[in-house]
Amino acid sequence: MDIAVSTFTADDTEAAERAYEIESAWLAVDVPDFPPVCRQAFFAGLSHPWPGYQQHLALAYLAGKPVGFLRAKLPEVDNTDNVDVDIAVLPQHRRRGVGRALFEHAVRLARAQGRKRLFGMSVAALPGGTPRPEAGRAFATALGAKLALVDVRRRLDVTRIDEAALDRLLAEARPRAGGYSLVCWQGPTPSEYLDDVAYLESRLIEDAPMGDLEWEPERMDAVRIRDIEAIREARGRRAYHVGMRHDDSGRLVAWTFLDFGATSPWHAFQQITLVEPNHRGHRLGMIIKVENLRYAITHEPELRAIDTWNAAVNDHMVSINEAMGFRPVDGWDNWQLTL
């Protein structure tokens, strides 16, 4: 059966709507415990890619019906040899060549742009864990992609938090954090911490385990952070931040935040948690994560679940999350293909 791939732009409302339907359908089947795809975030994401990226969109048509969606993100500031590829196919139309047609389109795009590598992710079940479709892993393997890093998603059931355990974690950590002060904020970063947040954000790829992924640290500055915050606002995201300020220097040396969508107040994503290397060993990471959890709960009474990802080999951060009550749900494979 003939498969046609057609590019589109965000102002093509009909194509964008079909893309939203495809994205929603695969997520509901493959990761049913996720919140539904937020319309505001999805459509704003089509119009406003992350700063420092160009975006390429395409639909795959099977017998004239749109059944597959491609979003290719091409870094323009750093990682300019790479393309980050998301492919979604309606579950009932898998194994008919739709995903491969979109992949081949992405390869042509990458080569035309002088790119050398494609990246993508797929969800997989953990041993003895929640069942997950094997379609993503089988697809990536068939294309010749290399499994470069395995992440594990953990979820915290907020309704079952052990408050006494959190109290003990803080009581154990605080004596080691003398000379630091807790700071909290919602929304945009306070101007006095903007450069420090940019520096910490830049360290994420450098400090986190990356396995065999050929992805270099992203260069962040105050302007790029502000641009990211503007796009997050356009997508309807809201965030709760906690950091630790080093009293002698006045610098923000540890930072974490929780990320909420516009339409699922019961759910949040735990995003970056990072401590500047010269200030490690003071339990700052534990303190900011526990304090930010409580900070968010105070303002988000409907919150019931928080998801976070860590490389399977990131023992330090995994130990903090496990101590807080996060438990494994599924695995997320990071694939890399060199052209």
Side-chain angles (χ1 to χ4, degrees):
M1 190 174 293
D2 289 339
I3 300 169
V5 175
S6 178
T7 62
F8 71 96
T9 59
D11 57 4
D12 184 339
T13 56
E14 177 67 22
E17 189 68 36
R18 302 292 79 76
Y20 171 76
E21 292 171 356
I22 294 167
E23 185 83 356
S24 298
W26 88 260
L27 191 68
V29 169
D30 287 11
V31 198
D33 64 323
F34 260 23
V37 178
C38 173
R39 286 186 63 89
Q40 179 178 347
F42 182 83
F43 288 101
L46 297 185
S47 302
H48 304 291
W50 291 117
Y53 286 76
Q54 61 166 293
Q55 188 169 245
H56 183 93
L57 309 170
L59 289 174
Y61 294 81
L62 183 64
K65 178 182 178 180
V67 297
F69 168 48
L70 165 71
R71 188 199 307 255
K73 293 162 281 188
L74 287 74
E76 296 184 297
V77 178
D78 26 52
N79 293 291
T80 53
D81 286 337
N82 299 340
V83 182
D84 188 11
V85 175
D86 294 325
I87 293 175
V89 178
L90 290 175
Q92 64 270 33
H93 292 287
R94 289 173 178 168
R95 304 187 66 84
R96 299 186 185 184
V98 176
R100 182 174 287 274
L102 289 169
F103 165 76
E104 291 172 351
H105 180 86
V107 169
R108 291 192 295 271
L109 169 68
R111 287 179 169 149
Q113 296 281 338
R115 306 293 169 122
K116 299 177 181 179
R117 289 175 290 272
L118 300 180
F119 295 80
M121 293 186 73
S122 64
V123 65
L126 295 173
T130 304
R132 291 288 182 255
E134 293 295 321
R137 179 171 286 178
F139 176 67
T141 302
L143 297 175
K146 176 183 178 182
L147 181 57
L149 180 70
V150 176
D151 290 324
V152 175
R153 175 171 66 110
R154 286 175 169 80
R155 171 166 285 192
L156 177 65
D157 182 347
V158 177
T159 68
R160 302 180 67 182
I161 288 176
D162 185 339
E163 294 290 352
L166 296 184
D167 288 340
R168 288 193 296 271
L169 293 173
L170 288 177
E172 293 167 0
R174 282 175 175 147
R176 300 180 61 174
Y180 299 89
S181 299
L182 197 75
V183 295
C184 309
W185 71 90
Q186 299 178 36
T189 304
S191 57
E192 62 265 35
Y193 302 131
L194 194 55
D195 289 336
D196 295 332
V197 163
Y199 169 74
L200 292 170
E201 182 80 50
S202 297
R203 290 201 63 91
L204 178 61
I205 300 299
E206 182 176 349
D207 292 356
M210 294 298 290
D212 294 326
L213 290 172
E214 296 184 58
W215 197 276
E216 65 190 30
E218 296 184 324
R219 298 187 294 275
M220 293 288 175
D221 57 23
V223 172
R224 195 168 177 183
I225 293 295
R226 285 291 188 236
D227 289 343
I228 289 172
E229 290 174 343
I231 289 176
R232 286 176 52 81
E233 183 177 1
R235 296 183 182 188
R237 312 300 300 184
R238 62 189 185 280
Y240 296 85
H241 304 254
V242 164
M244 292 293 273
R245 183 184 65 239
H246 182 232
D247 294 338
D248 287 345
S249 66
R251 291 188 55 218
L252 193 79
V253 297
W255 167 53
T256 190
F257 77 95
L258 285 166
D259 174 39
F260 288 75
T263 54
S264 297
W266 62 271
H267 181 269
F269 292 108
Q270 169 66 63
Q271 301 288 5
I272 186 173
T273 300
L274 201 141
V275 179
E276 204 277 334
N278 292 327
H279 296 271
R280 292 173 184 166
H282 298 279
R283 302 286 182 90
L284 302 184
M286 176 69 79
I287 294 171
I288 60 176
K289 284 180 71 79
V290 174
E291 292 285 7
N292 199 35
L293 171 62
R294 289 177 161 173
Y295 178 47
I297 289 173
T298 299
H299 294 87
E300 300 284 344
E302 296 181 59
L303 179 61
R304 301 197 307 274
I306 301 173
D307 284 319
T308 191
W309 282 257
N310 298 108
V313 297
N314 191 350
D315 294 336
H316 176 67
M317 193 56 65
V318 167
S319 68
I320 292 176
N321 289 332
E322 292 274 352
M324 292 176 63
F326 284 87
R327 295 295 179 260
V329 178
D330 45 29
W332 290 71
D333 297 334
N334 292 264
W335 300 94
Q336 178 173 297
L337 179 69
T338 301
L339 300 178

